[in-house]
């Protein structure tokens, strides 16, 4: 089946620093990847849609200058949290859709998530 | 706009009992519906999906769900709960136009021995 990896799985950083999270589709090409954020004991909220070779589309209320998304290849999207603050601490999960898969673009494969803690 | 409502943030059943997790959706276009399971500190695993084929969908680990358009529901069931089923379950919806998933608030399933 389609596999999506994320790196790192957890990261601790100091307030004011930047952190980059990578999302890779390992065995398929993903023209579209999605970034979600999940606070403890809450649901997943879509942050942005990442399209290969073009600018990401951000959801309302998500600061595009704070959460920089780059989708430079068909297998890699990155999320950079700039000038991180403690309130950015969360579980970040990416997903990717496989247009060539049996479900077309409508099934998403999720990465294992990245736990970010800002101190 | 799409939305998903999961009734019951916590459901507790005895091992061997029926599992029923409720999901109602709202969508202005024909939806695609999914159930995912999440174990602590892990990503999401797809249990099953409805993509406009058969209305009764069978998934992994003995789970199934029935799409009922008249009730705008997609409830998840399993005849006999196992201890390993204890996890968080999310219902999600998308459509041909949006592709990004809209998630319900989640239901935590506890299985009592």
């Amino acid at each position: 089946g389609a596999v999506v990896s994320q790196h790192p799985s957890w990261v601790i950083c100091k307030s004011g620093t930047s952190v980059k999270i990578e999302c890779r589709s390992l065995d398929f090409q993903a023209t579209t990847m999605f970034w979600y954020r999940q606070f403890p004991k809450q649901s997943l909220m879509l942050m942005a849609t990442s399209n290969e070779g073009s600018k990401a589309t951000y959801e309302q209320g998500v600061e595009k200058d704070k959460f920089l998304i780059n989708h430079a290849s068909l297998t890699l999207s990155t999320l950079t949290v700039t000038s991180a603050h403690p309130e950015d601490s969360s579980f970040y999960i990416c997903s990717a859709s496989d247009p060539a898969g049996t479900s077309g673009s409508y099934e998403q494969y999720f990465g294992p998530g990245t736990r970010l803690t800002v101190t | 706009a799409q939305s998903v409502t999961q009734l019951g943030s916590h459901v507790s059943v005895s091992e061997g009992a029926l599992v029923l997790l409720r999901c109602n959706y709202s969508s202005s276009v024909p939806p695609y519906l999914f159930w995912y399971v999440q174990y602590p500190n892990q990503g999401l695993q797809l249990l099953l999906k409805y993509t406009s084929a058969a209305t009764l969908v069978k998934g992994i680990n003995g789970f199934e769900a029935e799409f009922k358009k008249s009730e705008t529901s997609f409830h998840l069931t399993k005849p006999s709960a196992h201890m390993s089923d204890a996890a968080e379950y999310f219902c999600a919806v998308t459509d041909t136009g949006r592709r990004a998933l809209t998630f319900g608030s989640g239901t935590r399933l506890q299985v009592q021995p």
Side-chain angles (χ1 to χ4, degrees):
Chain A
V3 179
V4 175
S5 70
Q6 274 185 250
H7 177 81
S9 56
W10 60 270
V11 58
I12 301 173
C13 71
K14 294 188 178 222
S15 188
T17 62
S18 295
V19 173
K20 180 184 285 189
I21 302 170
E22 293 185 348
C23 177
R24 293 182 185 272
S25 56
L26 298 185
D27 50 2
F28 66 99
Q29 294 184 326
T31 53
T32 303
M33 291 183 172
F34 304 91
W35 287 96
Y36 296 85
R37 184 173 180 177
Q38 185 181 31
F39 289 107
K41 301 188 186 302
Q42 294 188 27
S43 187
L44 283 78
M45 299 298 295
L46 178 68
M47 298 176 66
T49 301
S50 171
N51 297 298
E52 187 268 335
S54 64
K55 291 184 178 180
T57 303
Y58 290 82
E59 294 298 296
Q60 190 172 8
V62 177
E63 299 175 61
K64 58 183 68 177
D65 293 332
K66 181 169 187 61
F67 298 100
L68 301 179
I69 291 173
N70 183 277
H71 193 157
S73 78
L74 287 171
T75 59
L76 174 64
S77 175
T78 60
L79 168 68
T80 301
V81 183
T82 63
S83 187
H85 290 134
E87 56 265 32
D88 298 324
S89 299
S90 189
F91 194 52
Y92 292 88
I93 304 177
C94 73
S95 70
S97 57
D98 178 7
T102 55
S103 299
S105 301
Y106 312 123
E107 180 172 346
Q108 293 183 27
Y109 303 95
F110 284 83
T114 297
R115 172 78 58 195
L116 170 63
T117 301
V118 184
T119 62
Chain B
Q2 297 173 319
S3 66
V4 175
T5 301
Q6 289 184 240
L7 292 176
S9 58
H10 288 84
V11 171
S12 182
V13 299
S14 298
E15 191 172 19
L18 171 71
V19 175
L20 171 61
L21 305 183
R22 300 178 185 275
C23 171
N24 288 88
Y25 70 90
S26 172
S27 178
S28 59
V29 297
Y32 293 83
L33 294 157
F34 305 83
W35 274 100
Y36 288 90
V37 61
Q38 184 181 35
Y39 296 97
N41 294 310
Q42 295 187 27
L44 276 69
Q45 181 182 9
L46 179 68
L47 283 176
L48 49 80
K49 60 191 177 191
Y50 167 76
T51 56
S52 74
T55 56
L56 181 61
V57 181
K58 294 186 183 298
I60 63 171
N61 301 339
F63 285 94
E64 64 180 41
E66 185 172 9
F67 173 70
K68 292 186 176 181
K69 184 178 179 180
S70 61
E71 299 178 8
T72 61
S73 69
F74 190 58
H75 301 331
L76 181 70
T77 61
K78 181 174 181 178
S80 177
H82 293 166
M83 296 297 291
S84 60
D85 294 327
E88 187 85 19
Y89 291 79
F90 292 98
C91 181
V93 64
T94 188
D95 61 50
T96 56
R98 177 166 167 77
R99 292 197 295 163
L101 292 170
T102 299
F103 285 88
S105 54
T107 298
R108 181 166 298 275
L109 175 66
Q110 287 184 310
V111 182
Q112 308 289 345

